[in-house]
Amino acid sequence: MQLIRQFELMAEEKYKMDGKIRGFFHAYIGQEAIAAGCMTATKPDDSFITGYRDHGLAIAKGVSVNSCMAELYGKATGNSKGKGGSMHFFGKDVNFFGGHGIVGAQIGTGAGIAFAEAYNNTDNVVLCFFGDGAARQGILHETFNLAMLWNLPVIFICENNHYAMGTAVNRSSNVIDIYKLADAYDMPSDVIDGMRPETVHEGVARAVKRAREKGGPSLLEIKTYRYKGHSISDPQKYRTKDEVDEYRAKDPISMLLKTILENNIATQEEIDQINERVDQAVAESVKFAEESPWPNDDEVLKDVYVDKNYPFIVD
């Protein structure tokens, strides 16, 4: 959680103060407990797929912070070769399948990955993350229907941070309890406190166990909050400072540190050592990104999907 937080704070500084990072940038700050709880409730072979607020989940899943910072810088050593930027982190080797810029696109793709796992008769599950705004997309309903029909091992996770860009949930739908959308498909669902990694772990672990035992998909509405704007250019005029301060008082990292120290899970010295390692890793990521080369010009048309042997094209 600290690594995610400090990485993004540093990246924001490099964007705003130094002009080293450009383009889109959607911070995960405030939502780190979800990434942490989902990691402890899954195994490495399970897949994650998400929308464009993807830095936190990518880092949690194991995409290196060096490649993440390099991707933000647009360098060739980035996890998408410097061609994807903030919204399109990717880590095939750690089963992190993006980073998707089209709102809701990952919902159908996540079910497709789950279909492949079922087809290959594995016990792997897929965690498919989306925001409260993407819950209004039609693809969600189509996918929920097929996921239940085919009993796919997928957990749909709505990271409800209360605002789709700048639109509050209650201004975009009559159904403000997003987990209830599952009822129309007889899909198991739950609502979870997303400000505590413990509660995230418990809720996700239940859904993962059900999916792994061929019990099919689930919808989890994990209620969280983003401290930063929708993107780095967001003036945030749609919410009050008092509201943000209310949630900052429930900061997931501060609350977890309190739990750790009060229950003697770790000492302050051990916490300090973690913080030192995090600071070192983040500083190294900046150095790596700044020293990395730009992509070659001949990269511009590479990695565009094409199947040269596609049999259905005729002249």
Side-chain angles (χ1 to χ4, degrees):
M1 290 168 67
Q2 269 289 37
L3 184 59
I4 296 168
R5 175 75 57 93
Q6 298 308 318
F7 172 88
E8 289 200 311
L9 288 173
M10 177 62 76
E12 183 181 29
E13 179 181 320
K14 294 301 174 184
Y15 192 113
K16 289 183 174 179
M17 305 300 292
D18 296 350
K20 297 291 182 71
I21 298 171
R22 301 183 184 185
F24 294 102
F25 185 105
H26 302 84
Y28 201 68
I29 294 172
Q31 300 183 207
E32 297 92 348
I34 298 178
C38 287
M39 281 302 297
T40 55
T42 54
K43 63 180 185 178
D45 287 342
D46 297 328
S47 297
F48 285 16
I49 186 170
T50 188
Y52 48 74
R53 196 178 305 280
D54 59 356
H55 309 159
L57 289 165
I59 291 170
K61 197 71 171 88
V63 181
S64 77
V65 290
N66 282 5
S67 73
C68 289
M69 190 65 79
E71 189 60 37
L72 292 177
Y73 270 61
K75 296 298 186 73
T77 53
N79 54 62
S80 291
K81 301 183 182 180
K83 297 187 279 187
S86 169
M87 297 197 296
H88 302 291
F89 282 12
F90 204 86
K92 182 181 178 182
D93 59 328
V94 293
N95 296 305
F96 180 75
F97 291 96
H100 292 261
I102 296 176
V103 177
Q106 72 276 20
I107 299 173
T109 309
I113 298 170
F115 181 89
E117 297 291 0
Y119 184 84
N120 290 317
N121 198 31
T122 75
D123 72 342
N124 300 330
V125 303
V126 177
L127 270 59
C128 178
F129 300 84
F130 56 94
D132 43 284
R136 313 305 172 200
Q137 296 285 7
I139 193 172
L140 177 140
H141 299 281
E142 298 171 36
T143 302
F144 278 16
N145 182 55
L146 286 178
M148 286 297 293
L149 188 65
W150 294 338
N151 201 44
L152 300 182
V154 56
I155 295 101
F156 298 105
I157 296 178
C158 178
E159 297 182 276
N160 183 358
N161 60 26
H162 303 287
Y163 295 99
M165 295 183 72
T167 304
V169 173
N170 61 4
R171 292 185 61 211
S172 64
S173 175
N174 186 52
V175 179
I176 60 174
D177 294 317
I178 292 171
Y179 73 96
K180 292 180 180 178
L181 296 177
D183 292 349
Y185 306 94
D186 285 338
M187 183 187 296
S189 64
D190 200 359
V191 59
I192 298 168
D193 177 5
M195 304 303 280
R196 296 179 58 225
E198 305 97 310
T199 53
V200 174
H201 171 94
E202 291 163 3
V204 173
R206 287 193 296 269
V208 166
K209 183 176 185 292
R210 181 163 53 241
R212 228 184 279 290
E213 294 175 352
K214 313 302 182 187
S218 305
L219 171 62
L220 305 180
E221 179 186 358
I222 304 184
K223 294 197 172 182
T224 183
Y225 200 81
R226 54 172 166 83
Y227 298 154
K228 302 290 182 175
H230 169 72
S231 69
I232 208 158
S233 59
D234 180 5
Q236 305 182 60
K237 293 181 179 179
Y238 47 83
R239 60 184 184 180
T240 66
K241 182 178 181 298
D242 289 343
E243 179 183 300
V244 178
D245 289 343
E246 177 188 345
Y247 279 94
R248 282 190 180 277
K250 298 183 284 190
D251 182 80
I253 293 178
S254 298
M255 296 297 288
L256 182 60
L257 282 172
K258 182 179 179 183
T259 299
I260 288 171
L261 294 172
E262 286 182 351
N263 291 276
N264 298 314
I265 296 169
T267 64
Q268 185 60 55
E269 182 181 3
E270 290 170 320
I271 296 297
D272 292 341
Q273 290 172 356
I274 290 173
N275 291 335
E276 287 174 12
R277 291 199 299 272
V278 165
D279 290 344
Q280 184 177 352
V282 172
E284 170 58 30
S285 75
V286 172
K287 183 175 185 291
F288 177 81
E290 295 189 347
E291 293 178 354
S292 291
W294 298 103
N296 292 328
D297 290 346
D298 64 2
E299 284 286 325
V300 69
L301 294 179
K302 292 182 181 177
D303 303 313
V304 178
Y305 179 77
V306 61
D307 184 349
K308 294 179 181 178
N309 298 315
Y310 190 68
F312 304 112
I313 297 177
V314 295
D315 293 332

